[in-house]
Amino acid sequence: MSDQLLTIETTRLDAGHVRLRLTGELDYASAPELIAAAADLHGQQVLIDLTGVSLCDSSGLSALLVVHHTAGAIRLTGAGRQLQRMLDRTGLTELLTVEHAADDLRAIG
């Protein structure tokens, strides 16, 4: 299979700040890619842009937790309606910082 299910774009914003922009499916098959991409981010403040995530399962949520423990500080942005519900129902919104733009709040309803 040559199609990538998840694309991760890493951008170093400034000293100590990194953005990971995810596009595609964050699931059992692709979660290890996110963990590997964050493996060297210990002590960094990481912004994970989930705007392009079309699917996230429990393995994807687990990968977000691993990144949280690896990096030390992460913020999530761009979570769609379904992903936001999963974060809420699992209690992860109390552990992880989830930011919403005005457009994100209208989409969540």
Side-chain angles (χ1 to χ4, degrees), residues 47-109:
L47 173 66
I48 300 179
D49 182 352
L50 301 167
T51 305
V53 173
S54 58
L55 173 113
C56 182
D57 68 6
S58 61
S59 296
L61 294 179
S62 179
L64 292 173
L65 283 173
V66 170
V67 174
H68 170 71
H69 290 295
T70 300
I74 70 169
R75 297 182 343 248
L76 304 178
T77 188
R81 172 180 265 162
Q82 185 175 19
L83 180 50
Q84 184 62 51
R85 283 185 188 155
M86 287 178 63
L87 292 166
D88 290 339
R89 289 182 179 163
T90 58
L92 290 178
T93 52
E94 299 197 18
L95 177 65
L96 305 174
T97 302
V98 180
E99 299 176 349
H100 301 284
D103 291 337
D104 293 341
L105 292 175
R106 280 193 290 274
I108 292 169

Side-chain angles (χ1 to χ4, degrees), residues 8-14 16-22 37 41 44-51 75 77:
I8 303 170
E9 176 187 327
T10 303
T11 305
R12 299 214 180 265
L13 303 173
D14 57 32
H17 293 80
V18 177
R19 179 181 61 218
L20 300 178
R21 180 174 290 155
L22 310 184
L41 299 179
Q44 302 285 310
Q45 295 209 12
V46 180
L47 173 66
I48 300 179
D49 182 352
L50 301 167
T51 305
R75 297 182 343 248
T77 188

